Amino acid sequence: MARFQAALIAAALACTGFAVQSVAADDYPSRPITDIVASTPGGGTDIVSRIFGEQLSKQLGQPFVVENLPGAGSLTGTVTAARAAPDGYTLQTGLTASMAVNPSLFAHLPYDPVTDFEPAGMLAEFPFVLVVSNNFPAHSVKELIALAKEKPGAINYASAGNGTGQHLSMELFKLMAGINLAHVPYRGAAPAYSDVMSGQVPVFFDNLAAALGQIKGGTVRALAVTGKARSPLLPDVPTVEEAGVPGYFNYVWFGLWAPKGTPQPIIDRLHTEIQKAQADPGVKQKITQAAGEILDMPLADIRPFMKAEIAKWSDVVKRAGIEVQ
């Protein structure tokens, strides 16, 4: 009898739990959703979050509020998101740096991007572009590689700082091309450009969105973009692979994550709405104008993708000996 009663209680609790979860999913969202962006307003993560947030607000019928929480190299906002209530009302826009690179750069990372979050959907990806000063003698990737092999370590390249996407893009390029260039880190891309333009530090991988103005303005020359296809914004500029480095592809990607334990029906609803937003012509146009591409990925593929990215950048960080202060 006791076992029978226990079984009934367990079944009742299971049904109650299912009912609560179902109601939560059916009612979701019933209030505003906060999307934490672990960087300052105006940056790439912020722009992507606001493009999708505006559309998701329309689709979900509730405000999708972007909250900027910068600090400690994106750790402040990311940790806050990881520790939020798993109810679908606090999400975070994560990117390559916070979800794939940080595990290699920080010995004691206060979150695990794979186990502390539930992926709700990828959003978009943005390529980098390899630029050089106008007086630099190499006019193609092959010429740059040849020049670097003639003078190992003699050519300087700029980055926006140790461990940044610009830095990692070049270190991956160096490893795959078998060359050695000297790293000159700056505090951001803007101060780097003055030395790139003057030819003092003549080579630079930068985000295409940020570099586009410099390229169009003729202050630097573009040698190649890092996407799998040419950018419609620079149709005459080849990809790095086309230009001579087979298999080189590199994007900064963005996705939406919820805290671990968020009910699966809510995750499924978010993923469906993200896919609807990605198919919206207005969203597509805004992402393209910002030099990006829609990144639609099945929910089941996101964690394996992240693990592969973590392994990829861990190898680059280790082999290049990259350290952050």
Side-chain angles (χ1 to χ4, degrees), residues 233-283:
L233 301 178
L234 293 174
D236 296 329
V237 177
T239 65
V240 175
E241 181 175 58
E242 284 180 312
V245 185
Y248 185 101
F249 309 115
N250 183 26
Y251 296 88
V252 55
W253 43 260
F254 301 88
L256 199 63
W257 277 266
K260 177 184 178 181
T262 301
Q264 191 61 43
I266 289 178
I267 295 295
D268 292 340
R269 173 76 192 281
L270 285 168
H271 186 64
T272 297
E273 297 300 331
I274 288 169
Q275 289 183 312
K276 287 181 183 178
Q278 289 176 320
D280 181 80
V283 170

Side-chain angles (χ1 to χ4, degrees), residues 37-287:
V37 170
S39 59
T40 56
T45 314
D46 184 71
I47 291 170
V48 171
S49 298
R50 294 182 188 279
I51 290 173
F52 277 92
E54 181 181 3
Q55 182 63 28
L56 289 171
S57 293
K58 297 176 184 177
Q59 294 174 192
L60 293 168
Q62 290 289 344
F64 200 89
V65 182
V66 173
E67 181 179 354
N68 297 92
L69 288 179
S74 80
L75 298 186
T76 300
T78 308
V79 170
T80 300
R83 296 175 180 173
D87 55 11
Y89 290 97
T90 301
L91 310 173
Q92 77 133 353
T93 300
L95 68 157
T96 315
S98 60
M99 306 305 281
V101 176
N102 279 355
S104 301
L105 291 180
F106 295 91
H108 303 289
L109 194 65
Y111 66 91
D112 186 316
V114 176
T115 61
D116 288 344
F117 291 96
E118 305 285 353
M122 302 304 288
L123 300 174
E125 59 186 3
F126 291 72
F128 291 84
V129 59
L130 176 60
V131 300
V132 296
S133 59
N134 286 322
N135 60 3
F136 190 62
H139 286 73
S140 69
V141 168
K142 287 184 178 179
E143 289 180 4
L144 169 60
I145 293 172
L147 191 61
K149 287 184 176 180
E150 287 177 13
K151 303 176 181 179
I155 300 172
N156 294 330
Y157 81 90
S159 84
N162 285 328
T164 60
Q166 292 91 340
H167 183 196
L168 292 167
S169 295
M170 178 55 81
E171 291 301 326
L172 178 63
F173 178 81
K174 286 168 54 181
L175 290 169
M176 294 185 69
I179 58 174
N180 181 24
L181 283 73
H183 180 214
V184 181
Y186 291 80
R187 292 188 176 182
Y193 270 112
S194 61
D195 283 352
V196 174
M197 288 186 287
S198 71
Q200 183 175 340
V201 183
V203 184
F204 187 30
F205 264 110
D206 195 16
N207 299 310
L208 177 56
L212 202 57
Q214 301 285 354
I215 296 167
K216 296 288 189 181
T219 58
V220 295
R221 284 188 286 114
L223 296 188
V225 294
T226 66
K228 293 183 178 180
R230 297 190 182 198
S231 168
L233 301 178
L234 293 174
D236 296 329
V237 177
T239 65
V240 175
E241 181 175 58
E242 284 180 312
V245 185
Y248 185 101
F249 309 115
N250 183 26
Y251 296 88
V252 55
W253 43 260
F254 301 88
L256 199 63
W257 277 266
K260 177 184 178 181
T262 301
Q264 191 61 43
I266 289 178
I267 295 295
D268 292 340
R269 173 76 192 281
L270 285 168
H271 186 64
T272 297
E273 297 300 331
I274 288 169
Q275 289 183 312
K276 287 181 183 178
Q278 289 176 320
D280 181 80
V283 170
K284 285 185 175 181
Q285 182 180 26
K286 290 175 183 176
I287 292 297

Side-chain angles (χ1 to χ4, degrees), residues 11-31:
L13 288 173
C15 291
T16 301
F18 176 78
V20 169
Q21 192 177 62
S22 298
V23 170
D26 290 342
D27 291 348
Y28 178 82
S30 59
R31 54 187 170 87

Side-chain angles (χ1 to χ4, degrees), residues 286-297:
K286 290 175 183 176
I287 292 297
T288 300
Q289 289 175 340
E293 305 164 17
I294 294 296
L295 179 56
D296 184 9
M297 186 178 295

